[in-house]
């Protein structure tokens, strides 16, 4: 999960051309991906929260069903990011 999350964040960096953007930065995400539905932005925020504390340090891995959901969410969000490249200031 941690590697997939980092890859999603790297994709956001490439699309926005802002290497300091964090997926956990609600204002930044609204700025660059404001055309995404609020529920998608909330999902991104929940992924960021899931990565925090225990998740980012690898001390407690999600179970097989939870990790499947998390990885599907990351893949779907990546596809949505790619659809919104023109709206992020990148032409």
């Amino acid at each position: 999960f941690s590697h997939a999350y980092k890859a999603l964040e790297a994709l956001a960096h490439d699309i926005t051309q802002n290497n300091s953007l964090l997926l956990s930065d609600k204002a930044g995400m609204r700025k660059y991906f404001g055309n995404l539905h609020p529920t998608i932005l909330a999902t991104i925020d929940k992924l960021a929260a899931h990565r925090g504390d225990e998740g980012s340090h690898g001390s407690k891995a999600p179970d097989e069903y939870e990790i499947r959901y998390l990885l599907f969410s990351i893949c779907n969000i990546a596809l949505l990011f790619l659809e919104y490249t023109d709206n992020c200031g990148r032409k």
Side-chain angles (χ1 to χ4, degrees):
F1 171 75
S2 181
H3 293 294
Y5 181 88
K6 288 177 186 178
L8 183 64
E9 203 160 60
L11 178 61
H13 293 165
D14 288 346
I15 290 169
T16 63
Q17 299 178 350
N18 178 351
N19 290 332
S20 63
L21 178 65
L22 299 174
L23 297 179
S24 59
D25 175 7
K26 291 180 185 181
M29 293 303 295
R30 281 191 307 273
K31 174 183 175 184
Y32 290 105
F33 297 101
N35 290 335
L36 290 176
H37 192 277
T39 58
I40 301 301
L41 293 172
T43 299
I44 294 168
D45 189 52
K46 291 183 187 305
L47 286 171
H50 196 296
R51 186 180 174 276
D53 297 332
E54 292 180 348
S56 66
H57 300 295
S59 61
K60 183 178 180 186
D63 65 33
E64 64 183 285
Y65 297 105
E66 185 178 14
I67 193 66
R68 186 177 305 145
Y69 170 77
L70 294 171
L71 294 176
F72 280 142
S73 294
I74 287 172
C75 289
N76 286 329
I77 291 166
L79 291 172
L80 291 171
F81 280 0
L82 292 170
E83 290 179 8
Y84 282 89
T85 55
D86 289 341
N87 297 315
C88 296
R90 181 175 156 187
K91 303 289 179 191

